[in-house]
């Protein structure tokens, strides 16, 4: 049974950092793309970052390029999202998703499996 469990959310001031973790079970990293998408209050969901396997290619939304880094630890079967230089507009629920292939999906609805999400709040 595929499961994705996020952790690491919290509240920080603008300019601060957080690291989100997505612990995967029921499958092994290295065969499927995993990524993060978010939903700000009152907004549509949007893609944030994705990592394809096994080439470890990464993709980022323009709004987070240079500030967020997606990485993985195959020993821990976990994907991370390091978020630096946080801004109030980064506030939202961050959800981890797993694709059904090794390639990153075009958009967040194409992730086959989702976690429950982790809340991130950035104050001015």
């Amino acid at each position: 049974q595929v499961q994705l469990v996020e952790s690491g959310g919290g509240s920080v001031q603008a300019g601060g950092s957080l690291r989100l973790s997505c612990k995967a079970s029921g499958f092994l990293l290295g065969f499927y793309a995993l990524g993060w998408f978010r939903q700000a209050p009152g907004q549509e969901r949007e893609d944030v970052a994705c990592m394809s396997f096994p080439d470890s290619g990464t993709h980022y939304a323009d709004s987070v390029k240079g500030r967020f880094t997606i990485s993985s630890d195959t020993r821990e079967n976990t994907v991370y999202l390091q978020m630096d230089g946080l801004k109030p507009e980064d506030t939202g629920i961050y959800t981890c998703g797993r694709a059904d292939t090794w390639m990153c999906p075009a958009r967040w609805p194409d992730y086959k499996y989702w976690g429950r999400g982790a809340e991130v709040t950035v104050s001015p």
Side-chain angles (χ1 to χ4, degrees), residues 12-18 67 83-88 90 122-124:
V12 295
Q13 289 191 317
S17 299
L18 283 173
R67 300 188 296 123
M83 306 185 291
D84 298 316
L86 282 161
K87 304 175 181 180
D90 294 319
V122 185
S123 56

Side-chain angles (χ1 to χ4, degrees), residues 3-55:
Q3 283 194 318
L4 302 167
V5 179
E6 301 94 338
S7 61
S11 299
V12 295
Q13 289 191 317
S17 299
L18 283 173
R19 188 177 79 155
L20 301 180
S21 300
C22 173
K23 176 73 173 177
S25 60
F27 69 98
L28 292 176
L29 262 60
F31 296 95
Y32 303 97
L34 282 108
W36 294 89
F37 53 94
R38 67 186 180 187
Q39 185 169 26
Q43 305 278 331
E44 297 277 325
R45 286 191 179 99
E46 62 171 347
D47 290 283
V48 174
C50 181
M51 174 176 275
S52 57
F53 291 93
D55 65 344

